[in-house]
Amino acid sequence: MADGTTESGGLSFYPMDQFIVKPLFGGAEVSWYTPTNVTLWMAICVLSVTAMFVIGTRRRAIVPTRSQSVAELGYGFIHKMVEDVTGKDGLRFFPYIFTLFLFIVFSNFLGLIPTSFTTTSHFAVTIVLALGVFLTVTILGFVLNGAAFLRLFWPTSAPLALRPVLALIELISYFVRPVSHSIRLAGNLMAGHAVIKVFAGFAALAAVSPLAVLGVVAMYGLEVLVSFIQAYVFTILTCVYLRDAVHPHH
């Protein structure tokens, strides 16, 4: 039933239904070319970023508008992070890292709008972002350093007898990076949104309705924080990985 209860009086809600990918124009099958709710909210994310950073700052002034202030704050925040983590040499990759951060943070916050779709809660989206980082770092590592990039996997400070074992561990951890990088983002967002849906379902029961509403409000506030933190974590890990490509001997 619409109020989240069944005819027998029990609860009937499905927290994971909010993550179902659905075609925009009807039908049941989803192919690679099918416009879906994921496609729609990705497009909205791109338009939102464009509106803030292109349209919102086209009339730049000494006394900034709200949109200009937010844009300048975000630009300065990520620029400083890239410089602090990767060094001056890493600033050439700032546009790529800044684009990643904007896409993730806007997708996360748009997903908090009721009836919206959180694109970054899907592993299919986050693995593409993580693989992009992994391939970028690996290709740049060999382009900038040649075979010297392989020194990243050979801990020269360790005893010689332990180096082969540590090298194997470093190699495995390197190739696990895109998995952990993507699951961390998608998992945290999916879990938070599912818990909010659970609390919202319990709000249909009069006995626990006030507590359920308080739970929704508390979790929503937490998700606002998580949305920014997860975008920040994804971005700073990208900076750390890029530092390995720029300075593999560090």
Side-chain angles (χ1 to χ4, degrees):
M1 295 177 67
D3 61 355
T5 60
T6 62
E7 295 180 358
S8 60
L11 288 173
S12 177
F13 57 90
Y14 305 94
M16 305 307 290
D17 282 359
Q18 60 185 306
F19 305 113
I20 296 175
V21 177
K22 300 176 183 177
L24 286 181
F25 307 109
E29 295 186 2
V30 176
S31 302
W32 66 268
Y33 53 83
T34 305
T36 63
N37 47 356
V38 180
T39 312
L40 173 64
W41 284 96
M42 281 186 174
I44 293 174
C45 174
V46 173
L47 292 175
S48 299
V49 173
T50 303
M52 175 170 288
F53 285 88
V54 178
I55 300 175
T57 60
R58 62 181 177 178
R59 295 181 180 177
R60 293 182 293 275
I62 297 177
V63 180
T65 61
R66 292 179 182 177
S67 59
Q68 183 181 338
S69 296
V70 173
E72 290 177 353
L73 182 64
Y75 183 97
F77 175 73
I78 300 300
H79 188 277
K80 186 176 186 307
M81 181 177 70
V82 174
E83 184 176 6
D84 290 345
V85 177
T86 65
K88 295 285 186 181
D89 294 341
L91 285 177
R92 68 184 115 168
F93 309 113
F94 168 74
Y96 171 60
I97 297 171
F98 191 45
T99 302
L100 266 180
F101 174 78
L102 290 179
F103 176 79
I104 294 171
V105 77
F106 270 75
S107 295
N108 292 353
F109 281 124
L110 286 171
L112 294 173
I113 300 174
T115 72
S116 68
F117 189 90
T118 312
T119 55
T120 43
S121 67
H122 267 248
F123 184 68
V125 174
T126 59
I127 190 61
V128 171
L129 298 176
L131 280 175
V133 172
F134 177 79
L135 292 174
T136 300
V137 170
T138 304
I139 294 171
L140 279 174
F142 284 107
V143 169
L144 296 177
N145 306 282
F149 180 63
L150 295 175
R151 288 186 298 177
L152 181 68
F153 309 104
W154 189 254
T156 55
S157 59
L160 184 60
L162 292 177
R163 289 179 192 177
V165 177
L166 294 176
L168 179 61
I169 294 173
E170 288 290 336
L171 191 64
I172 294 173
S173 65
Y174 184 83
F175 281 98
V176 170
R177 281 180 179 181
V179 179
S180 61
H181 207 185
S182 56
I183 288 179
R184 183 184 295 106
L185 175 59
N188 278 282
L189 292 172
M190 181 179 290
H193 284 61
V195 172
I196 290 176
K197 187 68 177 288
V198 170
F199 277 117
F202 278 109
L205 295 178
V208 296
S209 181
L211 291 177
V213 172
L214 287 175
V216 170
V217 173
M219 281 302 304
Y220 193 90
L222 180 62
E223 280 302 292
V224 171
L225 185 61
V226 167
S227 294
F228 177 80
I229 289 176
Q230 288 304 315
Y232 173 77
V233 169
F234 193 98
T235 309
I236 199 169
L237 283 175
T238 300
C239 292
V240 171
Y241 299 157
L242 277 171
R243 182 185 61 191
D244 292 340
V246 178
H247 307 290
H249 55 283
H250 284 185

